[in-house]
Amino acid sequence: MLPLPVLEQVRDELTDWQGGMSVMEVSHRSRDFIALAQQAEADLRDLLAIPASYRVLFMQGGATAQFSAVPLNLAATDACADYLVTGHWSQRTIAEATRFVRVNVAADEAASRYSTVPAQAALRLTPGAAYLHYTPNETIHGVEFPYVPESAGAPLVADMSSTILSRPLDVSRFGVIYAGAQKNIGPAGLAIVIVREDLVGRARADTPLVFDYRAAAEAGSMQNTPPTFAWYVAGLVFRWLKREGGLAAMAERNRMKAEMLYDAIDASSFYANPVARECRSWMNVPFRLARAELEPVFLKESEAAGLANLAGHRAVGGLRASLYNAMPAEGVEALVDFMREFERRHG
Ligand SMILES: Cc1ncc(COP(=O)(O)O)c(C=O)c1O
């Protein structure tokens, strides 16, 4: 979801953004657009309290492009990088990374069917690794790290696609944070990269221009035409977040929404969430029905009741509710009411 006030502003400004044309029609090098781009970065810096020693890049290719950009920028061809595997997206990350770097799987939660995260003490880290990569929130499995891993001196790299901006964050713990925009930020295609300055400028010589952190940093993320519309919407979302009270307020709201749904699931043997309690995601809540044959019925009836997008990802099936920032508490209440009513009729 995107916040309704943002969508309304986009609608109102669609044909006339600051005088006569759409934001999609202005030059990205125009004074007005550059001001927009700088304001968006400043607002994101405010929201996340990003230290001055970090660069903020607005890149393209979604989070998937970063699966390759990270090794290309941070690892020499003969280097080894540590990866934690906690579900679908960390597996996809490694599938790309192995094309560019020697991957050491420092932990793999396959044995729990990706319903847990590894303990710090269980990580098999490589001395001198180029970096340690992990996925703080696994969007499909609904598993979220309750702690920030210690990386034994290697830069810590995090794919925060489905958790960024859901709560305050200590950016200084990380070497690189990246996120596809289409969950808590804005339209798909854009990726936000927050990179510590000393990690900029180390890309391999054959790194494509659009993947190179230094090229992006030096050109204000305009080494080629940026996705201007996505950048504009992201900027409006950052403004909305500030008006709503910033990330502390978001955290409180998100914690409450997630608790409401997990409580409803746990209170009934009709529904089940497979994830260990201490690492349940605030953003993505997968659940199953004890009688799996009722899941298609649940989906059909929930959709008819106006509750959209509740199918689990095709990789795992079942059901999943995503509770991103823009989902109001009333949306979760409506789901919980529907679940109780569905159980009453079918339980
Ligand atoms: C955690 C995570 N990483 C990566 C991706 C892939 O993002 P994109 O489609 O922007 O490449 C997703 C998409 O849902 C995701 O949830």
Side-chain angles (χ1 to χ4, degrees):
M1 286 183 83
L2 285 171
L4 186 59
V6 168
L7 290 175
E8 287 171 343
Q9 184 173 348
V10 170
R11 178 197 61 204
D12 293 346
E13 295 179 345
L14 194 64
T15 58
D16 184 355
W17 177 75
Q18 306 201 354
M21 62 178 97
S22 166
V23 70
M24 286 180 273
E25 298 169 307
V26 303
S27 164
H28 62 286
R29 308 226 177 261
S30 65
R31 209 181 35 195
D32 284 348
F33 191 83
I34 293 201
L36 174 160
Q38 288 172 344
Q39 188 62 51
E41 176 176 337
D43 286 335
L44 181 64
R45 282 185 175 277
D46 260 12
L47 282 165
L48 281 168
I50 300 175
S53 54
Y54 284 73
R55 304 302 295 257
V56 176
L57 312 175
F58 289 73
M59 299 187 81
Q60 306 191 46
T64 301
Q66 297 305 313
F67 296 171
S68 309
V70 165
L72 285 169
N73 279 278
L74 302 194
T77 40
D78 58 348
C80 175
D82 288 334
Y83 279 77
L84 309 185
V85 185
T86 49
H88 177 90
W89 286 111
S90 37
Q91 286 172 324
R92 291 281 299 267
T93 314
I94 289 179
E96 281 299 286
T98 44
R99 289 139 51 86
F100 304 105
V101 69
R102 206 150 35 86
V103 166
N104 169 54
V105 173
D108 187 336
E109 297 300 282
S112 75
R113 308 182 74 184
Y114 301 115
S115 62
T116 51
V117 299
Q120 175 71 48
L123 307 186
R124 298 176 300 270
L125 301 178
T126 310
Y131 56 87
L132 167 63
H133 181 287
Y134 80 119
T135 310
N137 186 71
E138 284 281 357
T139 320
I140 293 173
H141 288 86
V143 174
E144 183 151 19
F145 273 79
Y147 73 99
V148 175
E150 294 287 345
S151 53
L156 182 61
V157 179
D159 172 3
M160 293 210 178
S161 295
S162 50
T163 185
I164 195 163
L165 300 174
S166 66
R167 75 203 76 183
L169 181 67
D170 180 1
V171 172
S172 71
R173 300 281 305 272
F174 297 86
V176 179
I177 292 168
Y178 66 87
Q182 66 272 23
K183 280 95 164 92
N184 271 339
I185 297 171
L190 181 70
I192 302 287
V193 180
I194 302 167
V195 51
R196 214 174 57 210
E197 210 146 48
D198 62 291
L199 301 174
V200 175
R202 293 198 196 174
R204 297 177 194 178
D206 57 357
T207 302
L209 180 72
V210 293
F211 284 52
D212 186 335
Y213 293 162
R214 176 158 64 190
E218 286 178 349
S221 301
M222 294 191 192
Q223 72 275 38
N224 67 327
T225 314
T228 49
F229 184 73
W231 200 329
Y232 154 76
V233 180
L236 296 182
V237 170
F238 301 153
R239 280 273 138 131
W240 174 80
L241 283 168
K242 288 176 90 171
R243 284 200 305 276
E244 293 293 303
L247 300 191
M250 241 359 92
E252 186 50 33
R253 219 188 265 187
N254 288 327
R255 189 185 54 74
M256 208 190 68
K257 290 187 306 189
E259 266 175 17
M260 200 191 317
L261 183 49
Y262 287 118
D263 285 351
I265 292 170
D266 292 344
S268 147
S269 54
F270 190 78
Y271 300 103
N273 168 279
V275 180
R277 275 172 195 265
E278 67 280 7
C279 52
R280 283 175 161 181
S281 169
W282 282 6
M283 295 283 103
N284 312 98
V285 183
F287 57 100
R288 304 297 308 228
L289 268 58
R291 287 165 55 202
E293 72 277 11
L294 282 176
E295 285 174 356
V297 185
F298 183 98
L299 273 177
K300 198 160 159 239
E301 292 189 10
S302 58
E303 182 136 358
L307 300 162
N309 293 330
L310 285 170
H313 190 274
R314 62 196 144 76
V316 295
L319 304 152
R320 176 179 54 158
S322 284
L323 313 179
Y324 295 118
N325 281 342
M327 169 64 70
E330 298 78 55
V332 186
E333 276 160 23
L335 172 59
V336 166
D337 287 347
F338 175 84
M339 289 168 72
R340 292 204 179 108
E341 156 68 12
F342 187 85
E343 179 175 357
R344 196 182 54 71
R345 282 187 290 113
H346 296 278

